[in-house]
């Protein structure tokens, strides 16, 4: 197997692992959003609306996954992580369900 095929297989495996990890947190995240515990921030990351050890741990885990994915996308597309974060923020804000929280101008508001 040549180096290009190995690299491609590695990229696919990393992508699959990230998707599984993200999927595992998706239900927890949806529940936390519906309960008003977490919300989307303007920097492309999740924030704790109501701070607790469990909520903070979930926010940290999700944000670590997001940062890793943002770094991969930035490298792949030859742009900065900040640019990816800005694009992700726009996307997550537009996809945030009515009644869930977003952070605008330093304040948590229900969409």
């Amino acid at each position: 197997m040549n180096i290009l095929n190995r690299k491609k297989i590695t990229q696919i495996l990393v992508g699959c692992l990230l998707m599984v990890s993200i999927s595992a947190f998706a239900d927890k995240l949806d529940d936390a959003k519906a309960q008003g515990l977490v919300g989307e921030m303007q920097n492309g990351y999740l924030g704790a609306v109501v701070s607790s050890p469990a909520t903070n741990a979930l926010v940290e885990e999700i944000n670590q996954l997001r940062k890793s994915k943002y770094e991969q996308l930035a490298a792949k597309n030859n742009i900065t992580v900040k640019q990816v974060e800005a694009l992700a923020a726009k996307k997550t804000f537009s996809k945030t369900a009515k009644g869930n929280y977003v952070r605008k101008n330093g304040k948590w508001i229900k969409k």
Side-chain angles (χ1 to χ4, degrees), residues 18 22 25 29 33 38-41 43-48 55-71 81 85 88 92 108:
L18 279 173
I22 291 170
F25 289 109
L29 178 57
K33 283 183 175 184
V38 299
E40 296 294 341
M41 299 191 302
N43 63 358
Y45 295 96
L46 196 63
T55 301
N56 295 342
L58 177 65
V59 167
E60 186 176 326
E61 288 174 302
I62 295 292
N63 285 343
Q64 286 175 355
L65 290 170
R66 286 184 181 186
K67 182 159 182 90
S68 176
K69 187 64 174 174
Y70 296 167
E71 289 170 346
V81 173
E85 291 169 343
T92 57
W108 288 111

Side-chain angles (χ1 to χ4, degrees), residues 38-102:
V38 299
E40 296 294 341
M41 299 191 302
Q42 290 177 299
N43 63 358
Y45 295 96
L46 196 63
V49 177
V50 178
S51 184
S52 76
T55 301
N56 295 342
L58 177 65
V59 167
E60 186 176 326
E61 288 174 302
I62 295 292
N63 285 343
Q64 286 175 355
L65 290 170
R66 286 184 181 186
K67 182 159 182 90
S68 176
K69 187 64 174 174
Y70 296 167
E71 289 170 346
Q72 288 178 359
L73 289 168
K76 182 179 178 180
N77 294 290
N78 200 29
I79 59 176
T80 67
V81 173
K82 290 286 183 201
Q83 289 172 306
V84 175
E85 291 169 343
L87 292 168
K90 287 181 184 179
K91 186 175 181 179
T92 57
F93 266 53
S94 70
K95 288 187 167 191
T96 296
K98 185 177 179 181
N100 288 351
Y101 283 94
V102 293

Side-chain angles (χ1 to χ4, degrees), residues 18-42:
L18 279 173
M19 293 309 293
V20 168
S21 296
I22 291 170
S23 294
F25 289 109
D27 290 337
K28 285 183 187 178
L29 178 57
D30 289 343
D31 288 344
K33 283 183 175 184
Q35 293 173 29
L37 302 175
V38 299
E40 296 294 341
M41 299 191 302
Q42 290 177 299

